[in-house]
Amino acid sequence: MPVSSITRTAGDRQTPLHGLAMRTKMLISVIAAVAVVVLESPAVLLGLLVISTAYAALSRRYGVLLGAYLLFGALWLLALGFMHVMGVFLPRLGYGELADVVVPFLRSAILLNAVLAMALSSRIQGALSALKSLYLPYWLYLPAVAMVRFVPAFLFDIQQVGESVRLKGYRPGPFLLVRHPVASLRLIFMPLLFRALRTADDLSVAAELKGLGANTPASRYREDRFGERDWVFMVLAAVAIGGSLWLELGVGWS
């Protein structure tokens, strides 16, 4: 008997991204990943960053997006700090011009927006059905399904750990890492590590319970078909990527 997903509720279609087919959001993410590899101009990448940020904002999860951006910025600053230290001892491994730092940051931020837009507006059933329809191998789409749902689950884990830190009398933030590094390791990093491992395991089990790896194809309560909104988003994505390629390769923006 085919496995069906849960029925839709009134809240499932609250945002424009929830109305898009899962394959549309996956295709937009793939196009963005290919585009950022080709593009090298900081000005063009900055324009794509603005467009991708507006695309992610359609999920209307502003608090989650802000938290993800702050975490991304903190990790990027930490990476720059390590690169600077490496450059002091090994100058060849350090960064030179400003573009050498800005371009990777813009590329990563664009991909972050594409993944967040997909993860915050998709159910695991939709991701499972879309990936199985592509006839991908089992070992490939199982991690992909878990990854899509891991992002919002991990952000929720961060929120829970932050609340537990406050209950213990500490104020979570960057200053806590500097003033109490040992306590931060015990109160923040270790709980996040174990919660992340448990979340990944739960998501994998949930995917298998929903029919992943079964011999019979999984079906959904409603078919995830392309509609007018999907074509509109696909055309807008094609125009944005095509215009960016034309500005860099045709006009020669740098």
Side-chain angles (χ1 to χ4, degrees), residues 160-217:
Q160 294 296 308
V161 171
E163 292 179 358
S164 67
V165 171
R166 291 188 184 93
L167 291 176
K168 293 179 175 65
Y170 294 93
R171 184 176 180 180
F175 296 103
L176 178 62
L177 303 178
V178 178
R179 297 176 58 185
H180 305 283
V182 178
S184 300
L185 179 64
R186 178 173 57 88
L187 298 175
I188 298 178
F189 291 105
M190 295 305 295
L192 278 179
L193 174 61
F194 285 101
R195 288 180 70 94
L197 293 175
R198 188 187 66 180
T199 300
D201 185 65
D202 291 344
L203 291 175
S204 300
V205 173
E208 292 184 347
L209 291 177
K210 290 177 172 63
L212 188 63
N215 295 326
T216 56

Side-chain angles (χ1 to χ4, degrees), residues 65-77 112 154-155 158:
L65 290 174
L66 180 60
Y69 294 152
L70 292 176
L71 178 61
F72 173 76
L75 293 176
W76 192 258
L77 291 176
L112 176 66
F154 184 67
L155 293 176
I158 294 176

Side-chain angles (χ1 to χ4, degrees), residues 16-240:
L17 292 183
H18 284 83
L20 294 179
M22 182 64 190
R23 288 172 293 178
T24 302
K25 290 177 279 191
M26 291 172 55
L27 187 56
I28 291 176
S29 300
V30 172
I31 293 175
V34 174
V36 296
V37 173
V38 177
L39 298 173
E40 297 180 354
S41 170
V44 176
L45 288 172
L46 181 61
L48 272 184
L49 176 60
V50 173
I51 296 174
S52 64
T53 303
Y55 170 61
L58 293 177
S59 64
R60 298 176 185 173
R61 302 286 298 276
Y62 306 117
V64 176
L65 290 174
L66 180 60
Y69 294 152
L70 292 176
L71 178 61
F72 173 76
L75 293 176
W76 192 258
L77 291 176
L78 182 63
L80 288 180
F82 280 112
M83 289 180 62
H84 180 72
V85 173
M86 292 173 59
V88 172
F89 295 98
L90 298 172
R92 290 183 299 177
L93 298 179
Y95 51 86
E97 299 179 357
L98 181 61
D100 297 335
V101 180
V102 174
V103 170
F105 173 81
L106 294 176
R107 288 172 172 172
S108 303
I110 292 171
L111 292 179
L112 176 66
N113 284 328
V115 173
L116 285 176
M118 179 172 57
L120 296 177
S121 62
S122 305
R123 292 183 177 273
I124 193 171
Q125 295 93 341
L128 172 63
S129 301
L131 291 171
K132 290 195 70 173
S133 66
L134 299 177
Y135 300 100
L136 298 175
Y138 176 83
W139 56 267
L140 181 60
Y141 64 77
L142 174 60
V145 171
M147 181 194 68
V148 170
R149 288 300 301 149
F150 180 80
V151 174
F154 184 67
L155 293 176
F156 178 76
D157 289 341
I158 294 176
Q159 181 181 1
Q160 294 296 308
V161 171
E163 292 179 358
S164 67
V165 171
R166 291 188 184 93
L167 291 176
K168 293 179 175 65
Y170 294 93
R171 184 176 180 180
F175 296 103
L176 178 62
L177 303 178
V178 178
R179 297 176 58 185
H180 305 283
V182 178
S184 300
L185 179 64
R186 178 173 57 88
L187 298 175
I188 298 178
F189 291 105
M190 295 305 295
L192 278 179
L193 174 61
F194 285 101
R195 288 180 70 94
L197 293 175
R198 188 187 66 180
T199 300
D201 185 65
D202 291 344
L203 291 175
S204 300
V205 173
E208 292 184 347
L209 291 177
K210 290 177 172 63
L212 188 63
N215 295 326
T216 56
S219 60
R220 303 188 66 192
Y221 177 73
R222 294 184 180 181
E223 293 294 333
D224 195 18
R225 297 178 179 178
F226 275 72
E228 295 182 358
R229 184 175 298 178
D230 297 279
W231 290 113
V232 170
F233 273 80
M234 289 300 300
V235 170
L236 292 176
V239 170

